[in-house]
């Protein structure tokens, strides 16, 4: 199967789904109604993430009747990041909108997303406001959003909203896997794209159940740590690990020098002092962290690939030869 998109259209709507058969017919009708009124060429790319409830059969039927419908069907469930990533690869739109399949996102909001893109944003993310979800979902989400804004200096209300609109080059620059889809606005900001937000209508889930239980929401914190590490220190891991290592070693050394001074010049017995243990542990830890940093630098140099995803324009001889609109 070719992964290279051909025959561009103005707009692709990418819908990742997992066991959403009850919602799909209504979603398709609502989407078609909105998209036909836009006056743009469009396609709907459904990505079936290994459903076992007949969603694929239903979508195959739709794809046979409607040439604007594309179905990408996974062999088994790989998760939403994989579904979005695959949807992006097969989408042929200059602009790409993603939305959930469970009717919680309202297709009528699509024109507002497009307007905001026209205002100059590269990525527009939805803010479900007011959010029609139970506390077990809103609480972890609130904690994580606050944390991200605090750590990354962003000011977004709903990082993980499934409803988003992108310029083509944003999706080309994103590498989604694992749980990274939860932090797309952060990833895009780190690359240098202009991220905007709009408040959108949100509906309670009508059919089926959420695919993420309360306990499944917290690993998002690990994804955040990994993402921050990879975006800030991906190409210079020694800056973090070396810094931590030198600090730990320095503190440990300071403690040991202090205790040695006491032992040598004040004649105090120091063998029973917890401070001695702490000093020695910190020095060993420091050496280990520094060594991890060096190993990580080696890995980085093996895997480093030069890429141009952060380049907006190239000017040669006074003329732009490559440009991102
Ligand atoms: N989804 C998916 N793969 C998964 C889990 C979910 O494609 O492994 C889809 C799901 O069908 C829906 C969207 O991702 O279209 C959001 O999932 P859900 O509504 O369960 O999440 P919530 O709104 O509860 O956060
Ligand atoms: Mg949902």
């Amino acid at each position: 199967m070719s992964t290279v998109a051909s025959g561009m259209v103005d707009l692709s709507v990418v819908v990742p789904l997992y066991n959403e058969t009850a919602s799909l017919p209504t979603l398709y009708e609502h989407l078609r109604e909105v998209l036909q009124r836009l006056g743009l060429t469009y396609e709907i790319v459904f990505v079936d993430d290994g459903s076992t409830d007949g969603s694929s059969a239903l979508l195959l039927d739709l794809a046979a009747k409607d040439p604007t419908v594309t179905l990408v069907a996974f062999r088994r469930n790989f998760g939403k990041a994989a579904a979005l990533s695959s949807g992006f690869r097969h989408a042929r739109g200059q602009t790409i909108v993603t939305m959930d399949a469970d009717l919680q996102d309202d297709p009528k909001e699509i024109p507002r997303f497009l307007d905001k893109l026209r205002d100059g944003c590269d990525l527009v993310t939805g803010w479900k406001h007011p959010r029609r979800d139970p506390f077990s979902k809103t609480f972890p989400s609130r904690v994580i959003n606050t944390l991200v804004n605090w750590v990354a200096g962003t000011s977004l209300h709903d990082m993980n909203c499934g409803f988003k609109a992108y310029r083509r080059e944003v999706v080309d620059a994103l590498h989604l896997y694992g749980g990274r889809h939860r932090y797309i606005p952060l990833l895009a900001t780190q690359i240098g794209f202009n991220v905007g937000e709009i408040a959108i209508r949100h509906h309670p889930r009508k059919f089926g159940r959420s695919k993420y239980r309360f306990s499944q929401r917290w690993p998002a914190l690990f994804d955040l740590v990994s993402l921050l590490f990879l975006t800030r220190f991906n190409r210079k891991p020694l800056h973090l690990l070396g810094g931590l290592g030198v600090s730990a070693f320095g503190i440990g050394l300071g403690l040991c020098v202090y205790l040695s001074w006491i032992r040598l010049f004040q004649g105090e017995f120091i063998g029973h002092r917890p401070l001695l243990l702490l000093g020695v542990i910190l020095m060993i830890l420091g050496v280990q962290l520094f060594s991890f940093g060096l190993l990580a630098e080696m890995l980085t140099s093996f895997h480093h690939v030069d890429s141009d995803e952060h380049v907006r324009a190239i000017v040669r001889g006074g003329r732009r030869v490559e440009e991102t609109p």
Side-chain angles (χ1 to χ4, degrees):
M1 191 189 295
S2 162
T3 55
V4 180
S6 58
M8 300 297 277
V9 290
D10 296 324
L11 175 67
S12 298
V13 179
V14 172
V15 185
L17 64 114
Y18 179 50
N19 292 339
E20 304 284 6
T21 188
S23 307
L24 288 173
T26 318
L27 174 70
Y28 168 70
E29 285 308 325
H30 287 182
L31 257 176
R32 208 172 50 138
E33 239 171 72
V34 171
L35 294 175
Q36 280 178 343
R37 263 191 271 128
L38 287 175
L40 300 171
T41 53
Y42 71 86
E43 63 172 359
I44 310 172
V45 182
F46 288 105
V47 187
D48 178 11
D49 184 12
S51 296
T52 50
D53 69 342
S55 293
S56 260
L58 194 151
L59 292 170
L60 257 179
D61 231 34
L62 277 184
K65 284 187 212 136
D66 181 349
T68 64
V69 171
T70 300
L71 167 64
V72 180
F74 286 2
R75 292 199 175 84
R76 66 166 177 82
N77 181 241
F78 281 90
K80 194 173 172 185
L84 284 172
S85 170
S86 191
F88 289 157
R89 269 200 310 285
H90 294 283
R92 297 167 303 158
Q94 300 286 3
T95 299
I96 290 148
V97 166
T98 59
M99 62 187 296
D100 290 351
D102 53 1
L103 300 175
Q104 292 200 263
D105 298 334
D106 194 329
K108 287 199 194 95
E109 300 282 11
I110 290 177
R112 290 185 54 232
F113 276 97
L114 301 183
D115 286 345
K116 186 85 178 170
L117 279 183
R118 276 184 218 112
D119 285 351
C121 291
D122 299 309
L123 161 63
V124 181
T125 184
W127 167 25
K128 303 181 283 274
H129 185 67
R131 187 168 174 181
R132 311 283 183 205
D133 275 327
F135 182 73
S136 59
K137 278 169 70 173
T138 53
F139 175 64
S141 160
R142 197 166 279 208
V143 171
I144 288 166
N145 278 305
T146 310
L147 198 66
V148 174
N149 286 327
W150 180 61
V151 177
T154 47
S155 55
L156 296 167
H157 296 87
D158 195 359
M159 191 76 47
N160 186 20
C161 180
F163 212 169
K164 289 184 170 65
Y166 308 73
R167 285 186 199 280
R168 168 103 234 155
E169 45 302 350
V170 180
V171 306
D172 288 343
L174 293 175
H175 302 290
L176 297 183
Y177 55 86
R180 285 161 72 98
H181 63 285
R182 294 186 174 110
Y183 301 107
I184 288 173
L186 178 56
L187 273 169
T189 308
Q190 307 267 21
I191 301 172
F193 288 116
N194 183 11
V195 177
E197 181 181 66
I198 56 170
I200 50 161
R201 241 169 311 166
H202 189 239
H203 304 292
R205 195 181 242 280
K206 234 178 173 173
F207 306 107
R209 285 186 299 135
S210 168
K211 307 299 177 294
Y212 304 98
R213 288 190 304 273
F214 184 71
S215 59
Q216 285 172 301
R217 294 185 184 268
W218 294 106
L221 290 173
F222 295 132
D223 294 324
L224 177 62
V225 174
S226 133
L227 196 146
L228 287 172
F229 178 71
L230 286 176
T231 49
R232 284 202 192 169
F233 300 104
N234 188 20
R235 299 199 166 88
K236 42 183 182 185
L238 194 59
H239 285 213
L240 178 70
L241 294 168
L244 287 174
V246 168
S247 309
F249 186 87
I251 296 171
L253 185 69
L255 291 176
C256 289
V257 167
Y258 164 69
L259 290 171
S260 307
W261 188 78
I262 289 180
R263 176 76 190 94
L264 291 175
F265 299 108
Q266 296 182 353
E268 244 183 68
F269 181 63
I270 57 164
H272 64 291
R273 303 270 311 249
L275 218 51
L276 179 63
L277 194 63
L278 182 66
V280 172
I281 288 176
L282 281 176
M283 283 174 70
I284 296 173
L285 185 73
V287 172
Q288 284 191 330
L289 282 172
F290 199 88
S291 313
F292 285 146
L294 285 176
L295 276 176
E297 287 282 338
M298 279 169 72
L299 284 175
T300 309
S301 78
F302 291 151
H303 294 288
H304 179 68
V305 187
D306 288 325
S307 82
D308 258 356
E309 63 200 21
H310 44 287
V311 173
R312 179 168 34 221
I314 301 169
V315 180
R316 191 171 284 141
R319 204 164 56 89
R320 276 180 181 233
V321 290
E322 203 172 292
E323 183 176 2
T324 297

mmCIF file of all heavy atoms in Angstrom, residues 196-225:
data_model
loop_
_atom_site.group_PDB
_atom_site.id
_atom_site.type_symbol
_atom_site.label_atom_id
_atom_site.label_comp_id
_atom_site.label_asym_id
_atom_site.label_seq_id
_atom_site.Cartn_x
_atom_site.Cartn_y
_atom_site.Cartn_z
ATOM 1 N N GLY A 196 -3.105 28.074 17.954
ATOM 2 C CA GLY A 196 -4.246 28.838 18.472
ATOM 3 C C GLY A 196 -5.268 27.902 19.094
ATOM 4 O O GLY A 196 -5.197 26.683 18.931
ATOM 5 N N GLU A 197 -6.237 28.494 19.799
ATOM 6 C CA GLU A 197 -7.244 27.684 20.491
ATOM 7 C C GLU A 197 -8.620 28.302 20.292
ATOM 8 O O GLU A 197 -8.735 29.528 20.297
ATOM 9 C CB GLU A 197 -6.886 27.655 21.975
ATOM 10 C CG GLU A 197 -7.808 26.828 22.833
ATOM 11 C CD GLU A 197 -7.404 26.863 24.314
ATOM 12 O OE1 GLU A 197 -7.491 27.942 24.927
ATOM 13 O OE2 GLU A 197 -7.018 25.824 24.840
ATOM 14 N N ILE A 198 -9.651 27.464 20.102
ATOM 15 C CA ILE A 198 -11.014 28.003 20.121
ATOM 16 C C ILE A 198 -11.879 27.154 21.047
ATOM 17 O O ILE A 198 -11.705 25.934 21.132
ATOM 18 C CB ILE A 198 -11.668 28.049 18.708
ATOM 19 C CG1 ILE A 198 -11.670 26.671 18.037
ATOM 20 C CG2 ILE A 198 -11.014 29.076 17.820
ATOM 21 C CD1 ILE A 198 -12.518 26.629 16.769
ATOM 22 N N ALA A 199 -12.794 27.808 21.749
ATOM 23 C CA ALA A 199 -13.739 27.069 22.602
ATOM 24 C C ALA A 199 -14.777 26.429 21.693
ATOM 25 O O ALA A 199 -15.274 27.063 20.762
ATOM 26 C CB ALA A 199 -14.401 28.032 23.578
ATOM 27 N N ILE A 200 -15.079 25.166 21.933
ATOM 28 C CA ILE A 200 -16.023 24.460 21.062
ATOM 29 C C ILE A 200 -17.121 23.786 21.877
ATOM 30 O O ILE A 200 -16.928 23.455 23.044
ATOM 31 C CB ILE A 200 -15.315 23.380 20.211
ATOM 32 C CG1 ILE A 200 -14.434 22.499 21.103
ATOM 33 C CG2 ILE A 200 -14.512 24.006 19.098
ATOM 34 C CD1 ILE A 200 -14.075 21.186 20.480
ATOM 35 N N ARG A 201 -18.249 23.575 21.198
ATOM 36 C CA ARG A 201 -19.347 22.840 21.813
ATOM 37 C C ARG A 201 -18.936 21.387 22.012
ATOM 38 O O ARG A 201 -18.252 20.806 21.168
ATOM 39 C CB ARG A 201 -20.559 22.859 20.883
ATOM 40 C CG ARG A 201 -21.766 23.512 21.465
ATOM 41 C CD ARG A 201 -22.798 23.717 20.387
ATOM 42 N NE ARG A 201 -22.215 24.346 19.193
ATOM 43 C CZ ARG A 201 -22.835 24.399 18.007
ATOM 44 N NH1 ARG A 201 -24.025 23.872 17.857
ATOM 45 N NH2 ARG A 201 -22.261 24.995 16.975
ATOM 46 N N HIS A 202 -19.379 20.780 23.097
ATOM 47 C CA HIS A 202 -19.032 19.392 23.379
ATOM 48 C C HIS A 202 -20.279 18.666 23.847
ATOM 49 O O HIS A 202 -21.077 19.226 24.586
ATOM 50 C CB HIS A 202 -17.943 19.367 24.475
ATOM 51 C CG HIS A 202 -17.347 18.017 24.717
ATOM 52 N ND1 HIS A 202 -17.389 17.393 25.940
ATOM 53 C CD2 HIS A 202 -16.690 17.173 23.888
ATOM 54 C CE1 HIS A 202 -16.776 16.230 25.851
ATOM 55 N NE2 HIS A 202 -16.339 16.070 24.615
ATOM 56 N N HIS A 203 -20.451 17.445 23.388
ATOM 57 C CA HIS A 203 -21.650 16.681 23.757
ATOM 58 C C HIS A 203 -21.267 15.482 24.612
ATOM 59 O O HIS A 203 -20.171 14.948 24.475
ATOM 60 C CB HIS A 203 -22.360 16.186 22.504
ATOM 61 C CG HIS A 203 -22.722 17.294 21.560
ATOM 62 N ND1 HIS A 203 -23.675 18.232 21.853
ATOM 63 C CD2 HIS A 203 -22.212 17.631 20.349
ATOM 64 C CE1 HIS A 203 -23.758 19.095 20.844
ATOM 65 N NE2 HIS A 203 -22.875 18.751 19.926
ATOM 66 N N PRO A 204 -22.207 15.045 25.483
ATOM 67 C CA PRO A 204 -21.912 13.820 26.247
ATOM 68 C C PRO A 204 -21.853 12.622 25.297
ATOM 69 O O PRO A 204 -22.481 12.649 24.236
ATOM 70 C CB PRO A 204 -23.102 13.678 27.195
ATOM 71 C CG PRO A 204 -23.998 14.814 26.957
ATOM 72 C CD PRO A 204 -23.523 15.596 25.785
ATOM 73 N N ARG A 205 -21.095 11.593 25.677
ATOM 74 C CA ARG A 205 -21.021 10.404 24.830
ATOM 75 C C ARG A 205 -22.395 9.720 24.815
ATOM 76 O O ARG A 205 -22.969 9.461 25.866
ATOM 77 C CB ARG A 205 -19.969 9.438 25.381
ATOM 78 C CG ARG A 205 -19.566 8.367 24.397
ATOM 79 C CD ARG A 205 -18.546 7.447 25.042
ATOM 80 N NE ARG A 205 -17.259 7.453 24.349
ATOM 81 C CZ ARG A 205 -17.026 6.755 23.244
ATOM 82 N NH1 ARG A 205 -17.968 6.022 22.701
ATOM 83 N NH2 ARG A 205 -15.839 6.793 22.679
ATOM 84 N N LYS A 206 -22.910 9.441 23.608
ATOM 85 C CA LYS A 206 -24.240 8.875 23.470
ATOM 86 C C LYS A 206 -24.189 7.349 23.447
ATOM 87 O O LYS A 206 -24.974 6.670 24.082
ATOM 88 C CB LYS A 206 -24.841 9.355 22.141
ATOM 89 C CG LYS A 206 -26.188 10.012 22.268
ATOM 90 C CD LYS A 206 -26.597 10.453 20.900
ATOM 91 C CE LYS A 206 -27.986 10.973 20.790
ATOM 92 N NZ LYS A 206 -28.208 11.528 19.448
ATOM 93 N N PHE A 207 -23.261 6.815 22.667
ATOM 94 C CA PHE A 207 -23.180 5.361 22.490
ATOM 95 C C PHE A 207 -21.833 4.843 22.987
ATOM 96 O O PHE A 207 -20.832 5.545 22.924
ATOM 97 C CB PHE A 207 -23.304 4.982 21.006
ATOM 98 C CG PHE A 207 -24.524 5.537 20.353
ATOM 99 C CD1 PHE A 207 -24.424 6.586 19.455
ATOM 100 C CD2 PHE A 207 -25.778 5.008 20.635
ATOM 101 C CE1 PHE A 207 -25.550 7.108 18.835
ATOM 102 C CE2 PHE A 207 -26.913 5.521 20.021
ATOM 103 C CZ PHE A 207 -26.797 6.582 19.119
ATOM 104 N N GLY A 208 -21.836 3.589 23.424
ATOM 105 C CA GLY A 208 -20.585 2.933 23.798
ATOM 106 C C GLY A 208 -19.935 3.576 25.012
ATOM 107 O O GLY A 208 -20.539 4.399 25.698
ATOM 108 N N ARG A 209 -18.674 3.166 25.282
ATOM 109 C CA ARG A 209 -17.972 3.659 26.467
ATOM 110 C C ARG A 209 -16.680 4.349 26.058
ATOM 111 O O ARG A 209 -16.145 4.093 24.995
ATOM 112 C CB ARG A 209 -17.607 2.470 27.374
ATOM 113 C CG ARG A 209 -18.792 1.917 28.139
ATOM 114 C CD ARG A 209 -18.357 0.854 29.127
ATOM 115 N NE ARG A 209 -17.720 -0.275 28.478
ATOM 116 C CZ ARG A 209 -16.593 -0.846 28.900
ATOM 117 N NH1 ARG A 209 -15.957 -0.383 29.939
ATOM 118 N NH2 ARG A 209 -16.094 -1.884 28.272
ATOM 119 N N SER A 210 -16.178 5.197 26.971
ATOM 120 C CA SER A 210 -14.870 5.798 26.721
ATOM 121 C C SER A 210 -13.826 4.681 26.652
ATOM 122 O O SER A 210 -13.921 3.697 27.379
ATOM 123 C CB SER A 210 -14.516 6.768 27.844
ATOM 124 O OG SER A 210 -13.153 7.114 27.734
ATOM 125 N N LYS A 211 -12.837 4.862 25.789
ATOM 126 C CA LYS A 211 -11.815 3.829 25.632
ATOM 127 C C LYS A 211 -10.709 3.980 26.677
ATOM 128 O O LYS A 211 -9.779 3.176 26.737
ATOM 129 C CB LYS A 211 -11.212 3.887 24.218
ATOM 130 C CG LYS A 211 -12.252 3.851 23.097
ATOM 131 C CD LYS A 211 -13.060 2.562 23.142
ATOM 132 C CE LYS A 211 -14.163 2.491 22.104
ATOM 133 N NZ LYS A 211 -15.266 3.438 22.244
ATOM 134 N N TYR A 212 -10.796 5.044 27.464
ATOM 135 C CA TYR A 212 -9.764 5.270 28.475
ATOM 136 C C TYR A 212 -10.400 5.319 29.849
ATOM 137 O O TYR A 212 -11.196 6.197 30.141
ATOM 138 C CB TYR A 212 -9.034 6.589 28.209
ATOM 139 C CG TYR A 212 -8.439 6.661 26.822
ATOM 140 C CD1 TYR A 212 -9.111 7.315 25.792
ATOM 141 C CD2 TYR A 212 -7.227 6.058 26.534
ATOM 142 C CE1 TYR A 212 -8.586 7.364 24.514
ATOM 143 C CE2 TYR A 212 -6.690 6.098 25.265
ATOM 144 C CZ TYR A 212 -7.371 6.762 24.258
ATOM 145 O OH TYR A 212 -6.851 6.801 22.996
ATOM 146 N N ARG A 213 -10.030 4.358 30.704
ATOM 147 C CA ARG A 213 -10.536 4.381 32.073
ATOM 148 C C ARG A 213 -9.697 5.366 32.897
ATOM 149 O O ARG A 213 -8.644 5.822 32.460
ATOM 150 C CB ARG A 213 -10.436 2.983 32.691
ATOM 151 C CG ARG A 213 -11.444 1.995 32.128
ATOM 152 C CD ARG A 213 -11.438 0.729 32.965
ATOM 153 N NE ARG A 213 -10.108 0.141 33.044
ATOM 154 C CZ ARG A 213 -9.622 -0.716 32.159
ATOM 155 N NH1 ARG A 213 -10.348 -1.099 31.139
ATOM 156 N NH2 ARG A 213 -8.404 -1.198 32.288
ATOM 157 N N PHE A 214 -10.198 5.659 34.146
ATOM 158 C CA PHE A 214 -9.517 6.615 35.032
ATOM 159 C C PHE A 214 -8.035 6.243 35.177
ATOM 160 O O PHE A 214 -7.143 7.079 35.021
ATOM 161 C CB PHE A 214 -10.207 6.593 36.402
ATOM 162 C CG PHE A 214 -9.673 7.600 37.376
ATOM 163 C CD1 PHE A 214 -9.910 8.952 37.207
ATOM 164 C CD2 PHE A 214 -8.916 7.193 38.472
ATOM 165 C CE1 PHE A 214 -9.414 9.895 38.104
ATOM 166 C CE2 PHE A 214 -8.421 8.124 39.373
ATOM 167 C CZ PHE A 214 -8.676 9.468 39.182
ATOM 168 N N SER A 215 -7.778 4.938 35.437
ATOM 169 C CA SER A 215 -6.401 4.502 35.680
ATOM 170 C C SER A 215 -5.542 4.610 34.418
ATOM 171 O O SER A 215 -4.318 4.687 34.495
ATOM 172 C CB SER A 215 -6.391 3.063 36.175
ATOM 173 O OG SER A 215 -7.003 2.244 35.198
ATOM 174 N N GLN A 216 -6.189 4.627 33.256
ATOM 175 C CA GLN A 216 -5.409 4.688 32.011
ATOM 176 C C GLN A 216 -5.014 6.105 31.641
ATOM 177 O O GLN A 216 -4.315 6.316 30.658
ATOM 178 C CB GLN A 216 -6.229 4.082 30.864
ATOM 179 C CG GLN A 216 -6.303 2.569 30.926
ATOM 180 C CD GLN A 216 -7.293 2.051 29.896
ATOM 181 O OE1 GLN A 216 -8.469 2.415 29.924
ATOM 182 N NE2 GLN A 216 -6.826 1.226 28.993
ATOM 183 N N ARG A 217 -5.515 7.071 32.397
ATOM 184 C CA ARG A 217 -5.226 8.462 32.039
ATOM 185 C C ARG A 217 -3.913 8.952 32.629
ATOM 186 O O ARG A 217 -3.299 9.859 32.112
ATOM 187 C CB ARG A 217 -6.378 9.371 32.465
ATOM 188 C CG ARG A 217 -7.619 9.025 31.662
ATOM 189 C CD ARG A 217 -8.793 9.901 31.892
ATOM 190 N NE ARG A 217 -9.911 9.359 31.125
ATOM 191 C CZ ARG A 217 -10.226 9.713 29.902
ATOM 192 N NH1 ARG A 217 -9.550 10.644 29.285
ATOM 193 N NH2 ARG A 217 -11.254 9.153 29.277
ATOM 194 N N TRP A 218 -3.469 8.325 33.741
ATOM 195 C CA TRP A 218 -2.289 8.841 34.433
ATOM 196 C C TRP A 218 -0.961 8.587 33.726
ATOM 197 O O TRP A 218 -0.016 9.382 33.879
ATOM 198 C CB TRP A 218 -2.261 8.325 35.883
ATOM 199 C CG TRP A 218 -3.416 8.895 36.638
ATOM 200 C CD1 TRP A 218 -4.556 8.233 37.013
ATOM 201 C CD2 TRP A 218 -3.608 10.258 37.031
ATOM 202 N NE1 TRP A 218 -5.429 9.092 37.630
ATOM 203 C CE2 TRP A 218 -4.872 10.348 37.668
ATOM 204 C CE3 TRP A 218 -2.836 11.411 36.922
ATOM 205 C CZ2 TRP A 218 -5.373 11.536 38.183
ATOM 206 C CZ3 TRP A 218 -3.339 12.606 37.444
ATOM 207 C CH2 TRP A 218 -4.595 12.650 38.063
ATOM 208 N N PRO A 219 -0.824 7.473 32.949
ATOM 209 C CA PRO A 219 0.452 7.318 32.220
ATOM 210 C C PRO A 219 0.773 8.516 31.342
ATOM 211 O O PRO A 219 1.916 8.692 30.904
ATOM 212 C CB PRO A 219 0.226 6.059 31.370
ATOM 213 C CG PRO A 219 -0.799 5.286 32.114
ATOM 214 C CD PRO A 219 -1.690 6.305 32.769
ATOM 215 N N ALA A 220 -0.214 9.377 31.104
ATOM 216 C CA ALA A 220 0.025 10.604 30.337
ATOM 217 C C ALA A 220 1.156 11.420 30.965
ATOM 218 O O ALA A 220 1.864 12.144 30.277
ATOM 219 C CB ALA A 220 -1.245 11.430 30.285
ATOM 220 N N LEU A 221 1.328 11.297 32.293
ATOM 221 C CA LEU A 221 2.402 12.047 32.957
ATOM 222 C C LEU A 221 3.770 11.538 32.513
ATOM 223 O O LEU A 221 4.700 12.321 32.322
ATOM 224 C CB LEU A 221 2.258 11.923 34.482
ATOM 225 C CG LEU A 221 1.054 12.659 35.068
ATOM 226 C CD1 LEU A 221 0.887 12.357 36.541
ATOM 227 C CD2 LEU A 221 1.185 14.164 34.848
ATOM 228 N N PHE A 222 3.884 10.220 32.329
ATOM 229 C CA PHE A 222 5.164 9.669 31.829
ATOM 230 C C PHE A 222 5.414 10.165 30.406
ATOM 231 O O PHE A 222 6.544 10.480 30.032
ATOM 232 C CB PHE A 222 5.156 8.137 31.845
ATOM 233 C CG PHE A 222 5.066 7.546 33.232
ATOM 234 C CD1 PHE A 222 4.165 6.547 33.522
ATOM 235 C CD2 PHE A 222 5.890 8.009 34.238
ATOM 236 C CE1 PHE A 222 4.072 6.015 34.797
ATOM 237 C CE2 PHE A 222 5.820 7.484 35.521
ATOM 238 C CZ PHE A 222 4.901 6.487 35.797
ATOM 239 N N ASP A 223 4.331 10.196 29.608
ATOM 240 C CA ASP A 223 4.480 10.682 28.236
ATOM 241 C C ASP A 223 4.993 12.118 28.246
ATOM 242 O O ASP A 223 5.799 12.505 27.409
ATOM 243 C CB ASP A 223 3.139 10.646 27.487
ATOM 244 C CG ASP A 223 2.647 9.233 27.287
ATOM 245 O OD1 ASP A 223 3.495 8.349 27.071
ATOM 246 O OD2 ASP A 223 1.432 9.006 27.356
ATOM 247 N N LEU A 224 4.501 12.890 29.219
ATOM 248 C CA LEU A 224 4.920 14.291 29.295
ATOM 249 C C LEU A 224 6.409 14.395 29.613
ATOM 250 O O LEU A 224 7.143 15.159 28.986
ATOM 251 C CB LEU A 224 4.093 15.022 30.361
ATOM 252 C CG LEU A 224 4.476 16.473 30.597
ATOM 253 C CD1 LEU A 224 4.266 17.293 29.337
ATOM 254 C CD2 LEU A 224 3.680 17.077 31.742
ATOM 255 N N VAL A 225 6.860 13.597 30.592
ATOM 256 C CA VAL A 225 8.281 13.633 30.963
ATOM 257 C C VAL A 225 9.125 13.244 29.750
ATOM 258 O O VAL A 225 10.099 13.921 29.401
ATOM 259 C CB VAL A 225 8.562 12.657 32.134
ATOM 260 C CG1 VAL A 225 10.061 12.586 32.407
ATOM 261 C CG2 VAL A 225 7.817 13.101 33.375
#
